[in-house]
Amino acid sequence: MKRNLSRETRMALEPRKQPRQERSSKVVDRILDAALTLTREQGTKTPTTLAIAQRAGLSVGSLYQYFPNKEAILLDLARRWLSSFPEVIARRIEVTPPTNRDEFRQEVRKLFIDTSKIYLENATLMPVIEAISGNADLRPIQDEYDEQIIALYAAWLQHVNPALEDKIASRLGVLMMDVGHACRLVGLKRDRKTYDLIEDDVERMWLALVTPYLNLD
Amino acid sequence: MKRNLSRETRMALEPRKQPRQERSSKVVDRILDAALTLTREQGTKTPTTLAIAQRAGLSVGSLYQYFPNKEAILLDLARRWLSSFPEVIARRIEVTPPTNRDEFRQEVRKLFIDTSKIYLENATLMPVIEAISGNADLRPIQDEYDEQIIALYAAWLQHVNPALEDKIASRLGVLMMDVGHACRLVGLKRDRKTYDLIEDDVERMWLALVTPYLNLD
DNA sequence: AAAGAATGCGACTAATTATTCGCGTTTGTC
DNA sequence: GACAAACGCGAATAATTAGTCGCATTCTTT
């Protein structure tokens, strides 16, 4: 039975039940591991329930003990990543805003380093993120997170320059996110040295993007 | 019957036969129109053959008179877009290379304007492009085009600065393409005024990305 | 060790959808 | 206007896959 995720099930992406016995929490881990490995192997295509079960050494039925549907498995993998973004950006808004060009440059750099760290720490998850973006059912959920992240980038910009108009802040926010994301995905597929070079590239681009809008002397 | 596009059919994405009678070339147009409209309506998800046929006022069977499979329809829509990129970049390599910072800035601007034009002229196709990227079967084909485009960006960079190492050129090429693509997709979803502002943003970013690697006085 | 709860199983169901094929209809040609 | 080729049709086929359900096994508790 093909489900209509968009309707009822969207509400039900939470784990179906908590594992009560020790063996079963290991099972949950095995399911998540299998889903991750398969997604990495297959590139964009999301793995089938059967494939996940087999790779985890389980039967399909067991999947549904802990997850209400296939999407929930992938989403579980992505959630930590998706939610660490808002946290990190929010933390960069708490500090006192910069007052001159040099301090400002420093603030960009800090935000930049912090976000980069998220990508490096979650490098193995990237194929899942890409798969989610390419999946018609999961895309909307990621979009919700993206909205949040954009809003926070915009808030950060207005924190750095309180005079910045909302409209401009949100436009620059989107671009910061998308440019950062696109470039870092490229970077993570290359070797570490290239990743670092791309990081420098992104930093220059961010600065070029944002500087004209921060009328600092 | 679900087909295995990746194997045999990949070779057979060409139209199955040329329309011989007048009515039928109109049919081909109707099919393409329907596919385009539906893709635009549905966002990421590619339309089903039945939906395309119905929207075109045809039966499924008629689709297969002219297209070997569903993918070929979408690809037909995307092809003009995909192939106009190489043309445009190649044309920018034919001119005499710039010799000073100002001429160089001009060259970036020209490449930039030309590529922007492709996006504006094909704005209605963008949902198809996005759908193709999200489709496991079609992605590889787009990737081939992307390779080509990246190589041309790299060639352009080396045309502008012949001393530029291959490795650096190809890295910057990828980033130019991806940054341009990501930002312009955002731009086309906004109003024209915002699109133009984003264009300025992209130009600044391109310049910031590329300038350090072009040791001009 | 026995009961009952939790977990695991996998054949089965059912939805979805790409593609085919034989037949009826339209069109172009002489 | 007759003949053949081209076109159009849509029911039927077949592949794929998400999710269920009743039974089997394992664990926990007393």
Side-chain angles (χ1 to χ4, degrees):
Chain A
M1 194 220 299
K2 283 262 166 90
R3 78 278 98 106
N4 196 334
L5 187 67
S6 330
R7 263 193 283 292
E8 312 91 79
T9 333
R10 269 249 346 235
M11 319 274 25
L13 289 163
E14 299 303 323
R16 184 164 275 185
K17 68 176 159 190
Q18 293 300 321
R20 302 280 162 90
Q21 300 179 356
E22 200 203 349
R23 62 172 164 164
S24 66
S25 56
K26 276 184 193 158
V27 164
V28 171
D29 287 346
R30 271 196 291 161
I31 294 170
L32 291 171
D33 271 3
L36 178 58
T37 318
L38 285 167
T39 308
R40 289 178 60 80
E41 281 175 18
Q42 300 186 3
T44 49
K45 201 177 277 175
T46 57
T48 67
T49 50
L50 184 67
I52 295 173
Q54 282 182 338
R55 181 62 68 97
L58 295 165
S59 75
V60 243
S62 301
L63 262 49
Y64 290 87
Q65 289 282 335
Y66 306 104
F67 298 96
N69 52 54
K70 196 182 77 165
E71 279 68 28
I73 299 174
L74 291 182
L75 211 57
D76 219 68
L77 284 170
R79 243 198 252 284
R80 214 179 335 157
W81 149 267
L82 286 168
S83 60
S84 64
F85 248 101
E87 284 171 26
V88 164
I89 303 174
R91 207 177 311 133
R92 288 275 102 233
I93 298 182
E94 287 161 8
V95 299
T96 52
T99 54
N100 61 48
R101 181 158 297 217
D102 230 48
E103 277 178 28
F104 163 69
R105 212 173 267 271
Q106 279 308 309
E107 278 310 304
V108 172
R109 174 153 259 276
K110 282 180 195 163
L111 179 63
F112 171 77
I113 289 173
D114 285 359
T115 48
S116 173
K117 214 175 279 174
I118 308 182
Y119 280 89
L120 280 172
E121 283 167 1
N122 295 283
T124 52
L125 279 186
M126 286 310 120
V128 178
I129 304 295
E130 290 186 85
I132 287 180
S133 313
N135 178 303
D137 288 322
L138 289 169
R139 185 74 168 273
I141 296 167
Q142 207 203 21
D143 285 346
E144 283 169 30
Y145 279 95
D146 282 356
E147 287 294 321
Q148 235 187 90
I149 295 170
I150 291 164
L152 274 162
Y153 271 116
W156 177 84
L157 284 161
Q158 289 184 320
H159 168 255
V160 165
N161 173 15
L164 195 67
E165 282 175 50
D166 289 358
K167 211 173 168 185
I168 299 178
S170 102
R171 183 185 96 234
L172 297 179
V174 180
L175 297 186
M176 282 177 82
M177 185 184 76
D178 278 4
V179 167
H181 190 70
C183 294
R184 279 149 173 175
L185 281 186
V186 172
L188 289 173
K189 283 172 191 160
R190 308 276 192 288
D191 56 317
R192 179 56 198 257
K193 211 166 199 169
T194 311
Y195 178 86
D196 290 337
L197 288 169
I198 289 179
E199 282 299 286
D200 292 343
D201 296 333
V202 176
E203 191 180 1
R204 285 200 312 285
M205 287 193 279
W206 271 22
L207 278 169
L209 173 68
V210 158
T211 311
Y213 290 96
L214 298 160
N215 33 357
L216 298 162
D217 53 311
Chain B
M1 194 218 301
K2 280 262 167 90
R3 77 280 100 107
N4 197 334
L5 187 67
S6 330
R7 262 191 284 290
E8 313 92 80
T9 332
R10 270 264 321 253
M11 319 276 21
L13 288 163
E14 299 303 322
R16 183 164 274 185
K17 68 175 159 191
Q18 293 300 323
R20 302 281 162 91
Q21 300 179 355
E22 201 204 348
R23 61 172 165 168
S24 66
S25 57
K26 276 184 193 158
V27 164
V28 170
D29 287 346
R30 271 197 290 163
I31 293 170
L32 291 171
D33 272 3
L36 177 58
T37 317
L38 284 167
T39 309
R40 290 178 59 81
E41 280 175 18
Q42 300 185 4
T44 49
K45 201 177 278 175
T46 57
T48 67
T49 50
L50 185 68
I52 295 173
Q54 284 182 339
R55 181 61 68 97
L58 295 164
S59 77
V60 247
S62 301
L63 261 49
Y64 290 87
Q65 288 283 336
Y66 305 104
F67 297 96
N69 53 54
K70 194 182 77 166
E71 280 67 28
I73 300 175
L74 292 181
L75 210 58
D76 218 69
L77 283 170
R79 240 198 254 283
R80 214 178 336 157
W81 150 267
L82 286 169
S83 61
S84 64
F85 248 102
E87 285 172 27
V88 163
I89 303 174
R91 207 177 312 134
R92 289 275 101 235
I93 298 181
E94 287 161 9
V95 298
T96 51
T99 54
N100 61 48
R101 181 158 297 215
D102 230 48
E103 278 178 29
F104 163 68
R105 211 174 268 269
Q106 278 309 309
E107 278 310 303
V108 172
R109 173 152 260 275
K110 283 180 195 162
L111 178 63
F112 171 77
I113 289 173
D114 286 358
T115 48
S116 173
K117 213 175 278 174
I118 308 182
Y119 280 90
L120 280 172
E121 283 167 1
N122 296 282
T124 52
L125 279 186
M126 286 310 119
V128 177
I129 304 296
E130 289 187 86
I132 287 180
S133 313
N135 179 303
D137 288 322
L138 289 170
R139 186 72 167 275
I141 296 168
Q142 208 203 18
D143 285 346
E144 283 169 30
Y145 279 95
D146 282 355
E147 287 296 320
Q148 235 187 89
I149 295 171
I150 291 164
L152 274 162
Y153 271 117
W156 177 84
L157 284 160
Q158 289 184 321
H159 168 255
V160 165
N161 174 15
L164 195 68
E165 283 176 51
D166 290 356
K167 211 174 167 183
I168 299 178
S170 102
R171 183 185 95 234
L172 297 179
V174 181
L175 297 186
M176 283 177 81
M177 185 184 75
D178 278 4
V179 168
H181 190 70
C183 294
R184 280 149 171 175
L185 280 186
V186 172
L188 289 173
K189 283 173 191 158
R190 308 276 192 287
D191 55 318
R192 180 56 199 256
K193 211 166 200 168
T194 311
Y195 178 85
D196 289 337
L197 288 169
I198 289 178
E199 281 300 286
D200 292 343
D201 296 333
V202 177
E203 191 180 1
R204 286 200 310 286
M205 287 192 278
W206 271 21
L207 277 170
L209 173 68
V210 159
T211 311
Y213 289 96
L214 297 161
N215 34 356
L216 297 163
D217 55 310

